[in-house]
Amino acid sequence: MVTSKTNALSSPISIHFFFFSLTLFLFSPPVITLSPTVRRDETSLWDPLLQKTIDSVGLGLEAIWNTNWFEPGTQPVQDPQTQPDTRYETIPGIDPDVLPEPGQTPVAKEECSQALPVGAPDDTCRKQTGILRMVFASDCANPAQNRAIEDVLAESIDPGTEISSIIDDDCGIVFWTGQLTDDGAQVLRDTYGVLAVEDDFPLEPPEEDSSYTFDGSSVYDGAARRKRSNTRHDKRESGPAPSKKKKERDLSYNKRDTALVVQDPATTPLDLAFVSTAPEISPADGSHYVYHQAAGEDINVYVVDTGAQTENSEFTSGVIKRWLYAYDCPPAEIDDYPGGHGTCSASKVAGVNFGVAKKASLIIVRLKMNASSMLSGYVKVLNDLRRRKKAGERIQGYNIVTTSVNAVIGPGSEWKTTLTTMTSLISAIINLYGVVFVCAAGNRGPEDLGKNVVPASLSQKLPIITVGSVDPATGVRRPSSPGGPLITIYAPGLVKCASPTTPGGRVKDGTSYAAPMVAGLAAYYFSLPDLGDMMRNNPTSAIPGVMKGYIIDKAYVRQGGTDKAIWNGLGGNWT
């Protein structure tokens, strides 16, 4: 059936209405009509970058926003109006039980600069002096519109505080940060060109598993492991001697191969020997770290963490190529996080004694433990990749990002724009520049990794390598490590690493330290003759997936272990 369309001016009534409207237009006072407020569900975020990256991997905005980021049965049930949110109780300096009563003197601005529990009763910071919030622009490439937003933001923030702009070099404003009250935040939400205003919030603390007590004499005593290994070898030689052919097959390498390097067992922690322990050898018997002399040479690893102690003996001269500083991080080459979290992570990538890829170069991306700093850190990485490519540096297949910090996005869609921005940034890093992205799974085990832990859970949408942890002495999953289908691979989480306060290193535990070992392994593979070139002989956006698949294919379940864990393809016992 064909439906005809009637001209709107064909009837007498329509003609009269037309001239009546024209009269009003000509003789009425001028009225300035503002464009309607841009709502988050009516526009795409951060064009054109989002469309170029998210759509390139078949991931649309609605797919992201409509995804249930909670596992079935885990949706929060507490009423935020009657029960304080306890997510921040573990953050140093924040006590959600100590909140001002109505009528009391407002909390000092310095104390309000940290996010307080969302929905807490009588939240003086939120209502009177404001809390730190992120204001997202709907169009980063519209400078006039964004200048107007900045004018409104300047009038709305708490007096005496500053506005910070997070800028993508190729596009423009991604978001601003400012200390806003609830009323000030609403003014911004009603401003044309503002996509969303969301509270800044602390990231998940990278806490260590406290179930392990190190006695200082067992699995990390390389000389003791070597002695045990020799004892077993002597007993075996009292019987029939194994054939040379059988021995070489077991060890997966030829001793005469001059391209291989064998690390002294006295300086080899068990977690590092684990990486080159062949299937025929028990993990506890691994006494050496065997690796190809390429050792990650010419490969750059961005360590998105809390910094690094540059004067530590684990970092040779020149191994740290440069520093990038996320939002709220002053330009200081330090690691001021308790316990030296970033220092340990960096040493597991390229440390002299503790690192998997000893010749790799490190680019330290120092951040604070909050969402705005994490997002700005990814912007810094993206800008750095773009600048280096324009300068003629090799990018695709020569760069890796590793991070051990996650955000818990919830409840529901409260931080959906934070999630979407994070996804688009990581997608751009991976797909536009062929960068391998490695992320720790966190320490919420032993349950399956939830979809609300990001960026770890984004491995279901992007070729991110999400890492769980195992015990290097047994190959058994650590009690703190999550499991489930969102985990890509496992690596030693109980490690010895560099420490700002302990000469010679210390033992630490958590997926935070398993992830940089996988990043080091990726750098090692990229540097190997032929293998690295073979991987780079793929479309840019395919390179990270190729590396992810190769790491999975090489991994195996250790004797007595529970999960597939990393292996560099060589033999970890030099008998």
Side-chain angles (χ1 to χ4, degrees):
M1 180 178 68
V2 178
T3 304
S4 61
K5 296 182 180 180
T6 305
N7 191 317
L9 296 180
S10 62
S11 68
I13 296 176
S14 298
I15 294 173
H16 286 302
F17 180 78
F18 171 77
F19 283 106
F20 175 76
S21 302
L22 181 62
T23 302
L24 288 177
F25 174 78
L26 293 175
F27 297 99
S28 298
V31 177
I32 299 175
T33 303
L34 296 177
S35 300
T37 301
V38 178
R39 298 177 58 85
R40 67 179 71 181
D41 55 354
E42 295 174 348
T43 184
S44 61
L45 171 68
W46 196 18
D47 284 331
L49 183 57
L50 180 70
Q51 297 305 132
K52 288 195 298 184
T53 58
I54 297 297
D55 290 349
S56 70
V57 291
L59 184 60
L61 283 173
E62 292 303 317
I64 299 172
W65 287 348
N66 293 333
T67 299
N68 178 14
W69 296 97
F70 292 90
E71 296 289 354
T74 63
Q75 192 76 15
V77 296
Q78 70 178 39
D79 181 358
Q81 300 302 319
T82 60
Q83 187 174 357
D85 190 320
T86 60
R87 285 174 298 160
Y88 308 115
E89 288 182 344
T90 58
I91 306 299
I94 297 180
D95 185 354
D97 295 326
V98 182
L99 295 173
E101 295 296 331
Q104 287 186 345
T105 303
V107 179
K109 293 182 179 64
E110 291 77 17
E111 298 176 22
C112 287
S113 63
Q114 301 183 74
L116 288 177
V118 177
D122 302 319
D123 191 338
T124 303
C125 280
R126 295 177 64 86
K127 295 179 179 179
Q128 296 186 28
T129 61
I131 62 170
L132 194 63
R133 306 184 198 241
M134 297 174 284
V135 180
F136 294 91
S138 63
D139 184 359
C140 63
N142 190 332
Q145 176 177 289
N146 291 334
R147 282 195 297 269
I149 295 173
E150 288 181 350
D151 291 342
V152 177
L153 183 57
E155 296 176 358
S156 303
I157 64 169
D158 189 43
T161 62
E162 297 180 350
I163 302 169
S164 294
S165 303
I166 312 303
I167 300 174
D168 174 80
D169 288 348
D170 199 39
C171 187
I173 294 289
V174 180
F175 66 95
W176 300 267
T177 62
Q179 195 158 302
L180 293 164
T181 64
D182 287 350
D183 291 342
Q186 190 57 50
V187 170
L188 267 299
R189 291 188 182 101
D190 293 337
T191 301
Y192 178 69
V194 172
L195 180 62
V197 179
E198 296 179 354
D199 297 350
D200 199 1
F201 59 91
L203 303 178
E204 184 175 40
E207 298 171 347
E208 298 179 12
D209 182 6
S210 60
S211 64
Y212 177 76
T213 302
F214 178 53
D215 63 11
S217 62
S218 55
V219 298
Y220 282 94
D221 187 338
R225 294 201 317 277
R226 171 63 173 160
K227 183 177 181 180
R228 290 198 306 270
S229 178
N230 284 342
T231 301
R232 291 187 178 91
H233 181 56
D234 293 342
K235 289 181 179 179
R236 187 183 64 182
E237 287 186 341
S238 62
S243 68
K244 182 177 180 181
K245 182 178 180 180
K246 172 68 174 176
K247 187 176 181 181
E248 289 183 354
R249 186 173 69 250
D250 285 351
L251 298 179
S252 303
Y253 62 81
N254 189 323
K255 291 181 184 179
R256 291 171 294 183
D257 190 340
T258 57
L260 295 182
V261 180
V262 183
Q263 184 168 327
D264 186 339
T267 64
T268 305
L270 182 59
D271 60 272
L272 196 55
F274 182 98
V275 177
S276 63
T277 298
E280 294 81 7
I281 301 172
S282 169
D285 290 342
S287 58
H288 296 75
Y289 177 46
V290 183
Y291 59 95
H292 190 280
Q293 64 183 5
E297 190 171 12
D298 296 328
I299 307 301
N300 300 289
V301 181
Y302 291 85
V303 182
V304 183
D305 213 297
T306 61
Q309 184 198 38
T310 55
E311 64 272 19
N312 195 288
S313 59
E314 274 296 297
F315 305 121
T316 58
S317 176
V319 67
I320 298 179
K321 199 170 184 178
R322 67 177 164 281
W323 288 66
L324 304 174
Y325 301 97
Y327 164 69
D328 206 27
C329 277
E333 297 181 358
I334 59 173
D335 180 6
D336 56 359
Y337 193 84
H341 188 271
T343 300
C344 178
S345 296
S347 73
K348 296 314 296 179
V349 177
V352 172
N353 295 308
F354 306 139
V356 175
K358 302 180 187 299
K359 294 182 182 179
S361 296
L362 301 177
I363 300 174
I364 305 296
V365 186
R366 182 168 168 246
L367 49 70
K368 295 291 188 182
M369 294 299 292
N370 54 58
S372 61
S373 190
M374 178 172 67
L375 291 183
S376 70
Y378 295 149
V379 174
K380 291 283 187 178
V381 171
L382 192 58
N383 286 339
D384 193 62
L385 290 166
R386 186 181 293 117
R387 293 167 188 165
R388 290 173 52 215
K389 185 173 183 179
K390 289 180 179 178
E393 289 190 44
R394 297 177 296 183
I395 301 299
Q396 295 91 334
Y398 287 92
N399 291 273
I400 297 156
V401 171
T402 181
T403 185
S404 297
V405 292
N406 283 290
V408 180
I409 300 290
S413 61
E414 186 176 351
W415 285 288
K416 67 165 58 173
T417 308
T418 300
L419 171 63
T420 309
T421 303
M422 181 193 304
T423 305
S424 66
L425 286 167
I426 296 174
S427 178
I429 290 168
I430 291 173
N431 291 291
L432 298 183
Y433 296 99
V435 175
V436 173
F437 196 100
V438 182
C439 182
N443 301 310
R444 293 178 154 232
E447 294 80 12
D448 287 358
L449 176 64
K451 294 179 181 179
N452 59 330
V453 179
V454 291
S457 67
L458 296 181
S459 59
Q460 64 176 338
K461 300 289 187 182
L462 300 171
I464 290 174
I465 301 175
T466 298
V467 185
S469 65
V470 294
D471 190 320
T474 62
V476 174
R477 189 188 309 170
R478 295 295 296 156
S480 61
S481 174
L486 298 178
I487 305 294
T488 304
I489 198 67
Y490 291 81
L494 187 61
V495 305
K496 190 173 184 182
C497 62
S499 167
T501 57
T502 307
R506 61 170 293 190
V507 175
K508 293 172 77 72
D509 190 5
T511 63
S512 287
Y513 315 115
M517 293 191 72
V518 176
L521 182 62
Y524 172 80
Y525 283 149
F526 269 148
S527 70
L528 291 181
D530 300 328
L531 178 60
D533 291 337
M534 180 192 73
M535 290 185 175
R536 285 183 283 271
N537 192 27
N538 283 280
T540 298
S541 60
I543 293 173
V546 171
M547 176 62 77
K548 181 176 181 177
Y550 190 81
I551 289 175
I552 293 172
D553 289 344
K554 275 290 184 183
Y556 72 94
V557 180
R558 298 307 194 267
Q559 295 180 21
T562 56
D563 302 277
K564 287 187 71 173
I566 58 171
W567 180 39
N568 71 356
L570 299 175
N573 205 351
W574 192 263
T575 56

